[in-house]
Amino acid sequence: MSYIDVLREAKDQVTPGMSACQGCGGELILRTVLKIAGKNTIIGIPPGCMAGAGVVGWNYANGLNIPVHIPLLDNTASFLTGLSQMYERKGRSDVNIIGFAGDGATADCGFQSLSAAAERNEKMLYICYDNEGYMNTGYQRSSTTTKGSRTSTTPIGSVINGKQQQQKYLPLIMSMHNIEYCATASPSHMSDLVAKVQKGLEASKKGFAYLHIFSPCPTGWAYPSNKGIEIARNAVKANVFPLWEMDQDGYKLNFKNKNPISVGEFVKGIGKFKNLTGEDIDSIQKYTNKRYEILRRLAIG
């Protein structure tokens, strides 16, 4: 069955009327993931854009058609550990246990519990929708925020010109935990995303699976709401967000750029990058090239 058939025939587990921002990458990713996972799923969504958009419910009404819990910002993986082990003791391997968290709750506040759950190889699928910041509270920088980004805590001014540090590359860090499955995905490459969610769910029955998904944000990044998929596609084409996966057989690049576009071309039209200098762009380009070369060598091995 093609990925189009999978999505066409699956029931939407997100209820109508969700209050995410227009053009939100996170909402598209959530809807896609839950269509694939289906109704026999329990999901944990910590404080962040998706929790704030109403998926954990208004008053007594649930925003999803499946059970959803809102753990703390820093304990999503440990919360899901208890849930996973409870179902395992009951002999229930049919329930999909999914974490769906932003980059702040994953790479920063929640990294300790995430790393520990991965090291123990707990049975779950943990998904990070990476919009490069704490968007739900006014767009503060996170460790995955791209260098030079304008955020509320890294403003553009006479003292600093956006974020001063290169981003933490969390997917590769997670792959080094010897987990069952690890991959990056993007809503711009839907066939690849669907396949990786399917693989992640299958791997989660054996142990820990991790997906890191590019989640463009029109509100925080300052671009027109209809440009999200184009921006996501350009991120892949520029190797800013390379698509790869890792399982027990090793690493594989899913999209090889023979002639990648430049970082300078990628950042055009994105407001958070409007004050990048030529030196800033060169620095990001060098970091991008170095990271891609590491992934290319791992894939060869």
Side-chain angles (χ1 to χ4, degrees):
M1 184 182 293
S2 71
Y3 80 93
I4 295 177
D5 291 331
V6 169
L7 296 181
R8 181 175 59 235
E9 296 179 11
K11 182 180 179 181
D12 195 347
Q13 301 300 329
V14 180
T15 59
M18 184 178 172
S19 60
C21 300
Q22 186 174 10
C24 172
E27 180 185 5
L28 174 60
I29 294 165
L30 179 65
R31 287 182 183 273
T32 302
V33 167
L34 291 185
K35 275 190 173 184
I36 300 165
K39 196 165 184 64
N40 205 20
T41 299
I42 298 177
I43 191 168
I45 306 179
C49 290
M50 290 299 95
V55 298
V56 293
W58 298 107
N59 296 322
Y60 296 102
N62 195 352
L64 300 181
N65 292 319
I66 60 171
V68 54
H69 300 270
I70 178 166
L72 300 176
L73 191 64
D74 57 357
N75 74 343
T76 303
S78 56
F79 169 81
L80 293 175
T81 293
L83 196 62
S84 175
Q85 291 188 5
M86 180 195 72
Y87 275 100
E88 187 169 12
R89 289 169 185 170
K90 289 178 176 289
R92 293 284 306 278
S93 61
D94 58 318
V95 179
N96 295 316
I97 307 297
I98 298 178
F100 195 82
D103 46 286
T106 302
D108 299 337
C109 298
F111 183 70
Q112 182 181 30
S113 65
L114 172 64
S115 177
E119 186 270 334
R120 295 192 304 268
N121 207 26
E122 302 287 355
K123 294 179 180 178
M124 69 181 72
L125 171 59
Y126 189 106
I127 297 172
C128 173
Y129 63 98
D130 188 358
N131 51 28
E132 297 194 4
Y134 293 82
M135 302 298 179
N136 191 50
T137 51
Y139 189 19
Q140 294 83 30
R141 59 92 84 190
S142 78
S143 60
T144 70
T145 304
T146 300
K147 182 179 180 180
S149 297
R150 179 200 63 200
T151 76
S152 62
T153 50
T154 57
I156 294 169
S158 58
V159 178
I160 63 172
N161 188 44
K163 188 189 176 195
Q164 300 298 290
Q165 300 80 22
Q166 299 285 4
Q167 65 180 181
K168 178 195 292 186
Y169 195 53
L170 190 62
L172 194 55
I173 296 172
M174 293 307 300
S175 75
M176 295 296 173
H177 284 70
N178 193 33
I179 56 181
E180 290 292 326
Y181 184 72
C182 181
T184 62
S186 171
S188 62
H189 293 65
M190 191 57 72
S191 179
D192 180 74
L193 190 154
V194 170
K196 286 172 175 175
V197 173
Q198 291 173 328
K199 290 178 183 179
L201 288 169
E202 182 180 355
S204 71
K205 306 305 179 184
K206 304 174 185 176
F208 197 93
Y210 179 81
L211 294 182
H212 198 98
I213 306 180
F214 189 78
S215 182
C217 173
T219 305
W221 296 12
Y223 64 80
S225 60
N226 64 339
K227 294 291 185 179
I229 297 301
E230 179 183 336
I231 287 171
R233 185 176 295 113
N234 284 341
V236 175
K237 290 168 67 175
N239 290 333
V240 168
F241 196 88
L243 299 179
W244 56 272
E245 60 186 330
M246 183 280 299
D247 57 21
Q248 297 304 303
D249 294 325
Y251 292 80
K252 177 183 178 182
L253 282 170
N254 306 113
F255 186 83
K256 298 179 181 179
N257 286 316
K258 293 183 179 180
N259 297 295
I261 65 174
S262 67
V263 167
E265 187 172 348
F266 162 68
V267 300
K268 288 179 181 178
I270 304 177
K272 71 171 183 173
F273 293 127
K274 69 177 184 179
N275 272 47
L276 288 181
T277 65
E279 185 178 352
D280 291 330
I281 292 175
D282 288 343
S283 177
I284 300 168
Q285 185 70 68
K286 288 178 182 178
Y287 178 76
T288 298
N289 294 346
K290 179 181 178 181
R291 181 175 59 193
Y292 188 78
E293 180 63 17
I294 291 172
L295 291 170
R296 189 186 68 81
R297 292 186 180 187
L298 285 170
I300 290 174

